[in-house]
Amino acid sequence: MGKGHLAIIGGTGLTQLKDLEISRREVMHTPYGEPSGPLTFGLYHGHEVVFLPRHGARHTIPPHQVNYRANIWALKNAGIETVIAVAAVGGITERMGPGVIAIPDQIIDYTWSRFHTFFEGDDLRSVTHVDMTYPYSDVIRQTLIAASRELGLNAVEQGTYAATQGPRLETAAEINRLERDGCDVVGMTGMPETALARELELKYACCAVVANWGAGRSEDLITMDEISRNLESGMARVKQLLAAVIGRL
Ligand code: HPA
């Protein structure tokens, strides 16, 4: 696979890309351990992509146990330059109701105790403090936005992603705090994935699908059943979006 190719990291609700015409799977070993699974190479609507489901092919790896470093390192070493990360999230602010697709432009890291950097060990002379002012690639975000407009998907074109530790969901008070912090959606996988992608100079953007209202934002408690139902329809639209985006990149 040549330089410049695109990877899609699938989240909950997107553990398979059904239309992917698979050419090969490659098991990668990295200095950081094993990625979530083999990298799947193939053609998606006529364009080469690599697919990697973040939680494993059978959705067995919880957010706090994903080997983010191995995943990002494996993609980089496969010659990938661009990553679109698909993620299921909870909605916090009014415009982020279940089913909405959001293309966040900012992120706040509330995770802890995760391996969150490639810069450790013996060579601290190399760049350690990467710039994260704008955490997502603007080029990729604008491509997602343009494709979403063309398809009439009504994506919310900016917002702040709160990355929480999980795997439990938040308390109502925590959701209120996240809103006071300026967050629009909440998920458990945005960090350290976003920062690690920046450390390895990958162009990275997030396509988030709102699966439920954040805790305390609806009458009902949050169930996995509700999350799965909303993701099913949301991910169908995300697949449309991905197909349109790949052609433009
Ligand atoms: N909180 C955190 N992560 C999530 C949620 C949520 O409500 N829904 C889907 N992923």
Side-chain angles (χ1 to χ4, degrees), residues 93-149:
T93 46
E94 208 179 331
R95 58 194 175 149
M96 299 296 188
V100 164
I101 293 175
I103 318 293
D105 63 336
Q106 281 294 332
I107 185 166
I108 299 180
D109 189 0
Y110 299 93
T111 67
W112 42 272
S113 197
R114 297 183 180 189
F115 291 108
H116 63 284
T117 181
F118 291 106
F119 299 125
E120 56 184 17
D122 46 20
D123 189 8
L124 294 179
R125 285 163 305 173
S126 59
V127 186
T128 308
H129 308 289
V130 293
D131 179 82
M132 279 288 281
T133 311
Y134 304 105
Y136 300 107
S137 160
D138 193 49
V139 174
I140 309 306
R141 287 191 61 257
Q142 294 309 329
T143 310
L144 282 162
I145 288 167
S148 138
R149 285 185 188 171

Side-chain angles (χ1 to χ4, degrees), residues 152-192:
L153 295 179
N154 284 322
V156 177
E157 299 178 359
Q158 60 177 171
T160 298
Y161 178 123
T164 56
Q165 175 68 2
R168 68 167 178 84
L169 294 159
E170 297 70 36
T171 66
E174 285 169 335
I175 292 294
N176 288 338
R177 176 177 76 139
L178 295 178
E179 180 160 30
R180 288 195 299 276
D181 280 356
C183 299
D184 296 287
V185 293
V186 54
M188 301 173 189
T189 57
M191 281 293 192

Side-chain angles (χ1 to χ4, degrees), residues 2-63:
K3 286 273 169 204
H5 283 291
L6 171 76
I8 296 165
I9 298 180
T12 299
L14 193 74
T15 47
Q16 271 182 23
L17 259 191
K18 250 195 15 232
D19 292 348
L20 185 65
E21 295 167 45
I22 298 170
S23 53
R24 71 195 164 93
R25 288 197 169 87
E26 194 172 326
V27 176
M28 307 272 288
H29 304 284
T30 87
Y32 305 97
E34 306 305 305
S36 298
L39 303 188
T40 304
F41 294 74
L43 284 181
Y44 193 65
H45 297 267
H47 300 273
E48 273 186 68
V49 296
V50 170
F51 181 69
L52 177 62
R54 187 188 283 117
H55 301 288
R58 286 174 297 112
H59 204 265
T60 49
I61 310 170

